[in-house]
């Protein structure tokens, strides 16, 4: 039996310990931390939830342990995903920095063959020092293959289960938008090394040749056309004459994200004034998944594949379609 340890990355630079022990096919994975709370997450059951009340913890406590049991009767579990929602701001990708375990490129845990139908682990969920009221909610689920942090149903086997850390009081009535500043999408290169696509999960840029692992997170990409010039296109509508996303990602069209764009008459000042999710509520989805002939200063509105609304300001455009050519964007999007 081999013991493995890893540390979770936290918002506000919080780090926590996490212990995981791997066993053979018919053995459960034994937790190595004290068991305070237990959460059982079974295939087909999405009701598993446990709440930790910070006021009930010992004074000065920095974490509370939850032992999570995953079971599946019919489908083999291959990956473990987690998200985090701080103070009702919206679920965000929650990556685990793991020492000794197989971590996939998207941050999920690749479960071994002996963990496919039944595994258990203990997580010390942290008490965030900067929080005085509201909740931090975690979702945990297991998939049969590559999943999607924004779509729990994608390849779902067991879960999602939820762990809620309750600080008392209520979450804020409004949430700030996510802001991604100075995102530079490169003109696509034939060798696939250009960072041409972006994910609205966290503003991460992706090289074309990362498609097989990450295409589910791509929301749109950049290209420079002969007539349309500087252009943005959703992953689902990206010109196959430039990049055949389905082939690169080894996927099908129904797995690619749609994003709908429209040009507005908003100014840079209007863009700067948007600070809350609610400021974007009036946006409605267009039918256009590609927008062309972009110019510096343009402000676009969009609705992504998951119904989140946002704005894009074109900050700079350099060159056409060669090495070092790009578009620079500032982006604001609902959580």
């Amino acid at each position: 039996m081999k013991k493995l340890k890893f540390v979770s990355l936290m918002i506000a630079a919080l780090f926590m310990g996490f212990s995981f022990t791997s066993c053979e096919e018919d053995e459960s994975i034994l937790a190595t931390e004290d068991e305070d709370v237990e959460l059982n997450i079974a295939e087909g059951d999405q009701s598993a939830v446990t709440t930790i009340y910070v006021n009930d913890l010992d004074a000065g406590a920095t974490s509370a342990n939850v032992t999570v049991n995953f079971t599946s009767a019919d489908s083999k579990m291959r990956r473990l995903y987690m998200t985090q929602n701080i103070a009702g701001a919206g679920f965000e990708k929650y990556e685990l920095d793991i020492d000794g375990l197989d971590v996939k490129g998207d941050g999920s845990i690749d479960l071994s063959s002996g963990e496919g139908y039944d595994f258990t682990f203990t997580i010390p969920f942290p008490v965030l020092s900067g929080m005085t009221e509201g909740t931090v909610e975690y979702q945990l689920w297991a998939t049969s293959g590559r999943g999607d942090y924004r779509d729990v149903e994608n390849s779902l086997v067991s879960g999602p289960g939820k762990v809620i850390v309750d600080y008392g009081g209520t979450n804020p009535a409004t949430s700030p938008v996510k802001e991604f500043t100075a995102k530079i999408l490169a003109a696509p290169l034939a060798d696939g090394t250009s960072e041409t696509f972006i994910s609205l999960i966290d503003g991460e840029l992706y090289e074309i040749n990362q498609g097989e692992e990450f295409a589910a997170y791509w929301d749109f990409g950049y290209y420079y056309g002969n007539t349309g010039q500087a252009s943005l296109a959703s992953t689902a509508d990206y010109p196959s004459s430039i990049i055949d996303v389905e082939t690169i990602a080894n996927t099908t069209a129904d797995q690619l994200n749609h994003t709908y764009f429209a040009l507005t008459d908003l100014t840079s000042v209007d863009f700067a004034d948007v600070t809350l999710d609610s400021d974007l509520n009036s946006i409605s989805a267009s039918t256009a998944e590609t927008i062309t002939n972009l110019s510096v200063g343009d402000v676009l509105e969009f609705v992504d594949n998951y119904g989140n609304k946002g704005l894009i300001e074109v900050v700079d455009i350099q060159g056409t379609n060669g090495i070092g050519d790009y578009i620079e964007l500032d982006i604001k999007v609902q959580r």
Side-chain angles (χ1 to χ4, degrees):
M1 183 179 295
K2 180 175 62 175
K3 182 186 297 182
L4 303 169
K5 295 182 179 180
F6 58 92
V7 178
S8 298
L9 291 176
M10 296 300 302
I11 288 179
L14 290 169
F15 295 87
M16 67 180 184
F18 179 98
S19 298
F20 199 115
T21 309
S22 177
C23 304
E24 298 301 324
E25 178 69 40
D26 295 326
E27 297 182 54
S28 62
I29 300 170
L30 304 177
T32 60
E33 300 289 340
D34 294 336
E35 299 180 11
D36 296 337
V37 180
E38 187 170 290
L39 180 66
N40 298 305
I41 304 174
E43 182 176 7
D45 179 13
Q46 300 187 9
S47 63
V49 60
T50 189
T51 300
I52 299 165
Y53 295 94
V54 172
N55 289 339
D56 292 341
L57 300 177
D58 293 338
T62 58
S63 65
N65 290 345
V66 177
T67 297
V68 185
N69 310 300
F70 274 92
T71 58
S72 169
D74 300 318
S75 301
K76 192 166 189 177
M77 297 177 287
R78 299 185 183 277
R79 297 197 190 194
L80 173 65
Y81 285 84
M82 291 182 67
T83 57
Q84 179 190 58
N85 182 354
I86 296 180
F91 284 102
E92 304 281 355
K93 179 173 67 173
Y94 184 77
E95 291 192 48
L96 301 170
D97 182 19
I98 302 169
D99 180 16
L101 289 178
D102 184 5
V103 184
K104 304 301 286 188
D106 64 355
S108 62
I109 297 174
D110 189 21
L111 301 172
S112 70
S113 60
E115 301 156 6
Y117 294 97
D118 187 354
F119 67 92
T120 300
F121 58 92
T122 294
I123 305 176
F125 287 87
V127 177
L128 304 183
S129 60
M131 284 195 67
T132 57
E133 63 177 356
T135 62
V136 179
E137 183 174 341
Y138 299 85
Q139 286 192 131
L140 309 89
W141 69 97
T143 65
S144 60
R146 185 176 58 203
D148 186 340
Y149 286 99
R150 293 176 294 182
D151 181 7
V152 172
E153 296 295 329
N154 190 323
S155 304
L156 178 66
V157 175
S158 296
K162 293 182 180 180
V163 175
I164 300 171
V165 182
D166 192 325
Y167 293 76
T170 59
N171 290 321
T174 57
S175 300
V177 295
K178 288 193 291 187
E179 298 187 50
F180 308 130
T181 302
K183 290 300 173 180
I184 298 175
L185 279 68
L189 300 177
D191 64 2
T193 60
S194 55
E195 292 184 331
T196 296
F197 289 89
I198 187 169
S199 172
L200 297 174
I201 295 177
D202 52 12
E204 186 80 16
L205 301 179
Y206 292 96
E207 295 181 3
I208 296 167
N209 56 19
Q210 293 177 296
E212 184 158 2
E213 181 66 23
F214 294 106
Y217 308 134
W218 296 357
D219 289 292
F220 60 87
Y222 174 63
Y223 69 94
Y224 197 99
N226 292 331
T227 57
Q229 299 186 342
S231 305
L232 299 178
S234 74
T235 312
D237 202 47
Y238 201 89
S240 59
S241 58
I242 300 176
I243 299 171
D244 186 342
V245 177
E246 290 180 47
T247 298
I248 288 175
N250 190 26
T251 189
T252 56
D254 62 308
Q255 295 295 309
L256 301 178
N257 286 333
H258 300 270
T259 304
Y260 303 92
F261 303 98
L263 183 64
T264 75
D265 58 3
L266 298 177
T267 66
S268 293
V269 174
D270 298 325
F271 181 86
D273 286 340
V274 172
T275 59
L276 302 174
D277 274 4
S278 57
D279 294 337
L280 300 168
N281 284 342
S282 61
I283 294 174
S284 58
S286 71
T287 58
E289 295 190 56
T290 296
I291 189 163
T292 62
N293 293 297
L294 296 173
S295 301
V296 173
D298 284 346
V299 176
L300 319 176
E301 62 184 24
F302 67 88
V303 178
D304 73 11
N305 194 77
Y306 308 90
N308 299 309
K309 302 174 180 182
L311 294 175
I312 299 170
E313 182 178 10
V314 180
V315 177
D316 191 17
I317 299 171
Q318 287 292 328
T320 57
N321 55 10
I323 295 175
D325 295 338
Y326 63 85
I327 190 170
E328 181 178 347
L329 308 173
D330 285 348
I331 303 170
K332 297 183 177 183
V333 62
Q334 292 175 329
R335 296 177 182 270

